[in-house]
Amino acid sequence: MTIPSPQPCHAERFEGAAPVLDPLAEVRSEQDPATDVYLTGPVFLDIIFTGLDSAPVRGTETWARGMGSSPGGIANMATALARLGLRTSLAAAFGDDMYGEYCWESLSRGEGIDLSLSRTVRGWHSPVTVSMAYEGERTMVSHGHEAPPPEEPPECPPPARACVSLLVPGRQEEWIAVAAGRGSRIFADVGWDETGRWDPADLADLQYCEGFLPNAEEAMRYTRTDCPRAAARALAEKVPLAVVTMGEQGAYAVDSSTGESAEVPAIAVEALDPTGAGDVFVAGFVTGTLAGWPLADRLAFAGLTAALSVQEFGGSLSAPGWVEIAAWWQHVRSFDDQSPATLRRYAFLDGVLPAASRPWPLRRAVPTLGFRQP
């Protein structure tokens, strides 16, 4: 199934507005923590160039047809969660430069993310990533220094329904064990193992995780398998829920606590920028899990949110909200060329989505450091 590419047009952003719906409304109680999802990690300023026909060539000047800027790094996932209506808390260091000020304002004021556990570091400049998107892929150049430790350790993590962590091979994070001990449900992603070891023993914090969501290449390397589905089954022996993303082939999941497995094909899109799509996938899957949806519906929803995200600039900027998802669902049902199987796969959205208030396609205004919100 192909999602039509949005055409350039002028539209308002939905920043700062209350979520269109609360996906956890039916499962909330007075005893629940104030925070739905807690995250921590580095925040980058992302500058994204799109509309490149090929990779830049040494010794030449290349002009991009599009450019955007937005908070990146862990901000990608925090924004994706917040736009899906989850009460999101982020603990991060921000530089006291213009970049840091812009990122803080965008996340706090623009997206409604709780930054009470974050801090501004005097004299520390914000990490920056320049991303160039072409041929459906991206190339990134980053610069930054690790933030100095705080003078006093922060009181974190807060009580939360769930926490999302990026596991770093060979390093344990004390807060993950603390959060799990408090009853938070821990979901984890993992980055590329620069050591080349790919040893599952290096992921000690996996013992605290309910869900693990690596991509196919990472999963196969950690399990010494040559098939993403076999890798998911092997990982499910180490963690209750293993989800392996397979790019154009979709995603496959195994729930060892129930013995259930599910596979959902990917949605074909004309990608503008794939930056942050994996983060958006995780956010969509965590949202469906906390809401208590069936496994296959969670996979489908996560894949849909990721597919919608690659049609916009950047990671945090591109994360879809409920209005965009509702508009897409209204759009695909209005065309007779969609297969009945496709419509059945996403029929669960009828019981979740608000009425679409704007026609497809939707565009957000592209934010830039040069402009301030009124």
Side-chain angles (χ1 to χ4, degrees):
M1 178 177 59
T2 302
I3 295 178
S5 299
Q7 299 301 312
C9 61
H10 296 288
E12 60 188 303
R13 295 192 70 197
F14 304 106
E15 287 187 342
V20 174
L21 64 81
D22 178 4
L24 307 187
E26 295 185 1
V27 299
R28 293 193 187 280
S29 70
E30 294 181 357
Q31 292 74 38
D32 289 340
T35 297
D36 290 328
V37 184
Y38 167 80
L39 310 92
T40 185
V43 172
F44 286 71
L45 171 72
D46 282 356
I47 301 174
I48 306 100
F49 292 98
T50 64
L52 295 169
D53 296 321
S54 60
V57 178
R58 183 174 61 183
T60 67
E61 181 179 15
T62 301
W63 281 80
R65 291 188 292 274
M67 191 196 85
S69 55
S70 63
I74 194 64
N76 293 339
M77 194 176 301
T79 300
L81 290 163
R83 287 187 177 180
L84 291 176
L86 298 189
R87 301 165 186 173
T88 304
S89 173
L90 172 63
F94 290 78
D96 66 347
D97 51 13
M98 289 179 57
Y99 295 166
E101 179 184 348
Y102 162 73
C103 288
W104 185 291
E105 184 172 311
S106 295
L107 297 175
S108 179
R109 180 185 174 193
E111 306 294 349
I113 296 169
D114 177 13
L115 298 182
S116 60
L117 294 175
S118 292
R119 61 195 174 103
T120 297
V121 182
R122 294 186 60 185
W124 180 66
H125 69 76
S126 302
V128 177
T129 292
V130 175
S131 177
M132 293 166 283
Y134 54 88
E135 298 175 356
E137 295 292 342
R138 68 187 189 279
T139 297
M140 296 185 291
V141 179
S142 298
H143 174 73
H145 304 281
E146 187 173 353
E151 296 180 1
E152 295 184 6
E155 292 283 339
C156 66
R161 288 176 181 270
C163 302
V164 182
S165 173
L166 177 66
L167 301 184
V168 178
R171 188 172 79 189
Q172 284 191 266
E173 298 287 354
E174 182 179 351
W175 73 265
I176 296 177
V178 172
R182 290 177 175 171
S184 294
R185 304 167 70 175
I186 311 298
F187 298 86
D189 196 357
V190 68
W192 191 258
D193 187 355
E194 299 292 347
T195 69
R197 286 167 48 85
W198 298 102
D199 185 350
D202 290 341
L203 303 179
D205 284 331
L206 207 58
Q207 64 182 306
Y208 303 111
C209 296
E210 174 181 331
F212 185 41
L213 299 93
N215 64 35
E217 185 65 24
E218 294 158 351
M220 290 188 292
R221 286 177 179 266
Y222 273 117
T223 58
R224 308 297 192 267
T225 59
D226 57 4
C227 170
R229 297 164 186 83
R233 292 191 290 270
L235 289 172
E237 297 176 2
K238 302 179 181 299
V239 67
L241 180 59
V243 180
V244 176
T245 56
M246 304 183 295
E248 295 180 353
Q249 297 181 48
Y252 181 78
V254 177
D255 188 334
S256 59
S257 64
T258 63
E260 183 184 7
S261 63
E263 182 171 351
V264 174
I267 298 174
V269 297
E270 183 177 340
L272 174 68
D273 176 20
T275 303
D279 296 323
V280 175
F281 181 97
V282 173
F285 188 84
V286 169
T287 299
T289 300
L290 296 183
W293 298 353
L295 182 58
D297 290 352
R298 287 180 263 163
L299 278 184
F301 183 73
L304 171 60
T305 55
L308 292 176
S309 77
V310 302
Q311 295 189 295
E312 297 281 353
F313 288 105
S316 62
L317 173 64
S318 68
W322 290 108
V323 171
E324 288 118 325
I325 297 168
W328 171 83
W329 180 230
Q330 183 182 70
H331 173 85
V332 298
R333 288 185 300 173
S334 66
F335 284 80
D336 295 333
D337 58 349
Q338 298 299 332
S339 71
T342 294
L343 297 180
R344 285 195 300 270
R345 174 59 272 161
Y346 291 94
F348 72 92
L349 292 175
D350 284 328
V352 177
L353 293 173
S357 58
R358 297 168 185 268
W360 177 270
L362 298 175
R363 297 284 289 184
R364 299 184 186 91
V366 179
T368 178
L369 292 173
F371 303 125
R372 285 190 175 275
Q373 296 292 330

